[in-house]
Amino acid sequence: MIAMHTKKLLQFTFTLILGISLYNANAQTKVYPGHWWTGMQWNKVQLMLHEANIGQYANAKVDYAGVSLAGVTTAQSPNYLFVNLDISPAAAAGVMQIQLTGNGKTKTISYELKPRRKGNGTAFAQGVRSEDFVYLIMPDRFANGDPSNDKLAGYKDQVCDKNDPNMRHGGDIQGVTQHLDYLQGLGVTSVWMCPVMENDMPVQQEAAGPISGYHGYWITNHYEVDKRHGGNAAYKQLVEAAHSRGMKIIQDGVYNHVGNEHFLFRDQPFADMFNNWPAYTPSNHREESLFSPYSNSADKKVMLDGWFVQHLPDLNLANPFMANFMIQNVLWCTEEFGIDGWRIDTYKYCYEPFLNNVNDALLADFPQLTIFGEAWSKTVAGSAYFARNNMDVAFKHNCPGVTDFPMQAGMLSAINQNYSWEGGANKLMMNLSEDFLYKNPLDNCIFLDNHDMDRFVTMVGGNMQKYKMGIGLLMTLRGIPQLYYGTELFMQNDQVNGDGKKRNDFPGGFADKGKPGDRTMAMLNDQQRETFQYTQKLAQFRKISKALQVGNTITFLPKDGVFTYLRQHGNESVLVILNQSDKAQSFATGMLKPYGAMTSARNIISQQTTPLGNEITLPPQSITILSLQ
Ligand SMILES: [Ca+2]
Ligand SMILES: [Ca+2]
């Protein structure tokens, strides 16, 4: 009895000593995800533990009501251990202790289960739909809300230089938060920021010269917002500030690649976590190799597994550990930050079954969330392939929407290209006609420009009439309209090699003193005021127009450069007439007869109401937007 007692006491003392030393050791163990929640549909959570030689602990034990251990997996690298937890709906919030043993040693990991946000994924994660108006921001280039975070010790890139288009300029999330008044005043309902997660990468050499990770697409830590963008705290603050105004936040995610300074690449758990090639192999960027009935497997492999650029290792999303890491990360970000939608970068380059799995997981836990993938394709069929569609194809994607590049090309053609049988407004009509391929074309994000192309105003040569035609189309065509920051202020870009100048500084965002958001309106010149007010008028009208948000679209075949469409919902009708020709034309209103007895028209821009005569006169190069009664 005494011996037994002594043994227990010794054991207890040993555990106590070990416990103290383990407390410190625990602090060094990186656990991904850092915490989880009770009541999630994703309740089989795979913890990735990262620490030197953690692989020696091949056994684990969890003693926590409602949580059972579903196995431990060692990796090829000794520095990883995967612990699979099964969290039953009965598990309560709290901190569990995961006891690891192996190699004669013991180690304890504390792991927290938090209660979910109010509404279990329904009171937030509202989804961004065609009722919304999205504003796309590159945070580094929008507004510098906190000059103290422009350059931070410890990061591998130490250049902040507003005169260099390819280096950091110091913009941050605080700058976005300070502009919420301005954005809401414009009529914006949702903000999409280029990725805000950590990009701790040294300056890289690209075709255009040295470039830093200012744009956010070189993620090195999926759980930390870059501190130069304000860190996790500033991000949470922005989401809360936006939600308190009824505005939404879209997060930009990247599944295809990471920055080559990412810990998963520097210290790879398994040799096949990345798509490694004997020699550097870039993607062929030909999405046709995925859906062509005549494609070959080698082309498809290069498309999917080839690297985007040399410093962006391509993720093998067919590896279940990599897939779990990424799926759990987007679930974690959605619940942790409370965001409303996802835009997924380089969508067409990712292993296809993974994409469907991650979307299913997101929608299971956040049923109203929306997702649109960047599927840069020139054709409607190619674009529709990456969304829910009505096509008989070998692989069926389940993404609700895509960033609609064919629509962008169609709108630009209708404004900028000579009218012809298949050019100009006919190109827009033709692209729209193929909407039958999409399950729900309203879920597509439509845009005139974004951070990867020349600015819209530059594309139309700074022409005010063309500007109005473009904004008019954007705000009245089907889909979720997205404006690239600064387009409302007639921003253009210089023609230089590389993308830096397409991401120039937002006017007023980088002044030396004061709060940026307050100054913007006072700074405008006449031209900027005109474009701001034009965009604002349409955005504010769109906010109350169900016809523009979710209405049917009825198109009338283009004639002599005139393209007309009607948006209808219930009793509401909005008529849009684009005249791309350089002469005045007219539209015969008799064509509207089958769509209701409408007798008067209110011009949304001039606010004037006139009787609806037999003809509507259309000035050269114009768009006419009428609310019909
Ligand atoms: Ca800053
Ligand atoms: Ca890939």
Side-chain angles (χ1 to χ4, degrees):
M1 281 297 277
I2 292 166
M4 193 63 170
H5 183 257
T6 312
K7 198 177 160 193
K8 275 198 170 160
L9 190 71
L10 274 172
Q11 251 177 3
F12 176 68
T13 313
F14 185 58
T15 309
L16 200 70
I17 294 165
L18 210 71
I20 292 162
S21 67
L22 284 177
Y23 180 76
N24 295 329
N26 199 2
Q28 296 161 18
T29 313
K30 297 268 199 286
V31 183
Y32 304 95
H35 57 260
W36 203 246
W37 294 271
T38 57
M40 294 282 280
Q41 299 295 313
W42 188 274
N43 57 9
K44 295 185 189 335
V45 182
Q46 180 167 72
L47 307 185
M48 178 193 279
L49 276 49
H50 188 210
E51 187 192 350
N53 293 314
I54 193 147
Q56 65 187 309
Y57 301 99
N59 301 297
K61 210 173 80 186
V62 177
D63 187 11
Y64 190 85
V67 176
S68 55
L69 187 84
V72 176
T73 315
T74 54
Q76 285 167 334
S77 159
N79 304 329
Y80 288 92
L81 190 69
F82 294 89
V83 176
N84 298 300
L85 298 180
D86 212 331
I87 303 165
S88 85
V95 179
M96 70 184 83
Q97 306 300 325
I98 303 169
Q99 299 274 348
L100 303 175
T101 53
N103 213 7
K105 295 182 193 167
T106 307
K107 186 177 182 65
T108 306
I109 304 285
S110 297
Y111 196 73
E112 186 175 8
L113 280 184
K114 296 186 173 184
R116 285 194 76 175
R117 281 169 182 263
K118 235 176 119 183
N120 283 339
T122 59
F124 60 102
Q126 288 302 292
V128 175
R129 300 190 163 72
S130 56
E131 288 91 336
D132 285 299
F133 175 31
V134 175
Y135 192 82
L136 166 59
I137 289 174
M138 182 161 281
D140 181 62
R141 303 299 167 87
F142 186 66
N144 192 356
D146 179 6
S148 77
N149 64 16
D150 294 359
K151 206 157 61 168
L152 292 178
Y155 282 104
K156 294 179 184 72
D157 126 42
Q158 285 291 319
V159 188
C160 183
D161 180 2
K162 283 200 294 156
N163 297 316
D164 188 331
N166 295 321
M167 294 297 147
R168 291 178 185 275
H169 289 189
D172 46 43
I173 293 170
Q174 291 94 328
V176 177
T177 308
Q178 290 168 5
H179 276 79
L180 288 179
D181 267 343
Y182 167 82
L183 295 174
Q184 198 164 25
L186 178 60
V188 168
T189 70
S190 308
V191 174
W192 152 22
M193 292 185 293
C194 296
V196 292
M197 289 299 154
E198 180 194 276
N199 275 219
D200 189 9
M201 292 275 289
V203 168
Q204 300 290 319
Q205 202 64 36
E206 282 191 358
I211 178 172
S212 76
Y214 70 88
H215 44 69
Y217 291 97
W218 301 347
I219 293 172
T220 55
N221 186 332
H222 288 80
Y223 286 93
E224 293 288 341
V225 173
D226 201 296
K227 291 186 175 61
R228 291 163 295 191
H229 283 150
N232 288 11
Y235 191 33
K236 283 181 184 172
Q237 226 165 27
L238 168 65
V239 175
E240 273 166 37
H243 285 177
S244 73
R245 296 163 178 265
M247 295 173 77
K248 302 169 187 171
I249 299 292
I250 299 168
Q251 186 160 332
D252 198 332
V254 192
Y255 304 143
N256 182 62
H257 52 257
V258 294
N260 61 9
E261 291 290 338
H262 197 291
F263 73 91
L264 280 176
F265 185 69
R266 307 300 298 175
D267 183 11
Q268 300 180 24
F270 297 97
D272 67 345
M273 286 284 265
F274 291 86
N275 293 314
N276 294 310
W277 297 81
Y280 173 66
T281 304
S283 173
N284 52 30
H285 304 278
R286 297 279 4 183
E287 66 277 9
E288 293 84 357
S289 61
L290 304 189
F291 52 73
S292 166
Y294 314 118
S295 183
N296 70 78
S297 57
D299 284 346
K300 181 175 173 178
K301 186 173 168 54
V302 173
M303 169 62 199
L304 291 175
D305 298 354
W307 290 23
F308 198 72
V309 293
Q310 203 144 7
H311 46 273
L312 300 179
D314 200 78
L315 269 55
N316 177 11
L317 297 162
N319 177 302
F321 297 94
M322 186 57 103
N324 278 336
F325 179 84
M326 294 306 291
I327 290 173
Q328 291 177 173
N329 174 255
V330 289
L331 293 171
W332 188 91
C333 287
T334 310
E335 182 74 26
E336 180 73 7
F337 300 120
I339 56 148
D340 300 286
W342 283 92
R343 178 265 187 184
I344 304 301
D345 184 65
T346 40
Y347 198 80
K348 66 180 187 181
Y349 299 89
C350 299
Y351 176 62
E352 295 174 285
F354 165 82
L355 293 171
N356 280 4
N357 291 343
V358 67
N359 292 338
D360 283 341
L362 277 168
L363 294 175
D365 269 312
F366 311 98
Q368 297 170 70
L369 189 82
T370 52
I371 305 150
F372 50 89
E374 183 210 18
W376 198 324
S377 176
K378 297 282 181 199
T379 65
V380 179
S383 208
Y385 173 77
F386 294 98
R388 292 176 187 157
N389 61 60
N390 299 316
M391 302 187 296
D392 182 12
V393 279
F395 186 87
K396 293 290 280 186
H397 277 269
N398 68 2
C399 199
V402 291
T403 52
D404 199 333
F405 283 89
M407 183 69 111
Q408 190 270 344
M411 288 191 284
L412 260 293
S413 297
I415 302 162
N416 243 0
Q417 199 183 55
N418 286 337
Y419 182 73
S420 69
W421 181 251
E422 51 198 310
N426 276 315
K427 172 81 175 162
L428 176 59
M429 178 277 292
M430 287 160 70
N431 283 0
L432 270 171
S433 74
E434 291 171 5
D435 263 8
F436 65 88
L437 297 173
Y438 294 106
K439 197 65 100 185
N440 189 0
L442 287 177
D443 289 339
N444 283 354
C445 178
I446 67 171
F447 54 95
L448 296 163
D449 62 354
N450 66 24
H451 55 292
D452 289 324
M453 49 177 71
D454 277 330
R455 283 185 167 275
F456 166 64
V457 184
T458 302
M459 286 192 271
V460 297
N463 180 308
M464 182 63 83
Q465 283 309 108
K466 289 183 173 181
Y467 176 91
K468 291 180 177 175
M469 291 160 75
I471 299 293
L473 291 175
L474 178 71
M475 303 305 274
T476 58
L477 280 167
R478 62 87 182 132
I480 313 166
Q482 167 246 297
L483 195 80
Y484 184 40
Y485 78 94
T487 295
E488 78 280 18
L489 299 183
F490 215 56
M491 266 177 84
Q492 306 191 42
N493 60 274
D494 298 337
Q495 297 289 348
V496 293
N497 202 9
D499 291 329
K501 290 270 185 175
K502 300 165 187 164
R503 305 155 177 181
N504 36 5
D505 294 348
F506 183 70
F510 290 81
D512 296 328
K513 286 177 193 145
K515 204 171 110 192
D518 298 339
R519 288 190 317 277
T520 312
M521 290 310 291
M523 289 173 42
L524 304 189
N525 60 36
D526 291 348
Q527 200 177 41
Q528 289 173 323
R529 191 165 290 113
E530 186 175 350
T531 55
F532 180 90
Q533 286 171 352
Y534 184 82
T535 307
Q536 182 185 43
K537 256 185 192 159
L538 288 177
Q540 296 293 359
F541 174 65
R542 201 180 181 285
K543 259 189 180 173
I544 54 164
S545 170
K546 280 282 160 204
L548 293 185
Q549 292 173 8
V550 295
N552 294 331
T553 301
I554 299 129
T555 60
F556 299 86
L557 288 176
K559 193 168 168 261
D560 300 331
V562 174
F563 181 42
T564 306
Y565 52 94
L566 192 62
R567 301 289 313 272
Q568 282 196 313
H569 182 267
N571 293 328
E572 192 200 355
S573 299
V574 177
L575 182 68
V576 182
I577 316 172
L578 181 92
N579 176 17
Q580 74 158 121
S581 74
D582 51 14
K583 57 179 197 289
Q585 306 237 34
S586 62
F587 173 78
T589 57
M591 292 166 87
L592 301 173
K593 279 236 168 67
Y595 302 98
M598 294 164 292
T599 56
S600 71
R602 182 167 57 91
N603 187 303
I604 298 309
I605 300 302
S606 72
Q607 292 294 318
Q608 282 180 341
T609 303
T610 50
L612 191 65
N614 292 333
E615 282 198 341
I616 298 170
T617 306
L618 313 166
Q621 291 204 324
S622 69
I623 191 164
T624 306
I625 303 168
L626 303 171
S627 173
L628 303 180
Q629 277 94 31

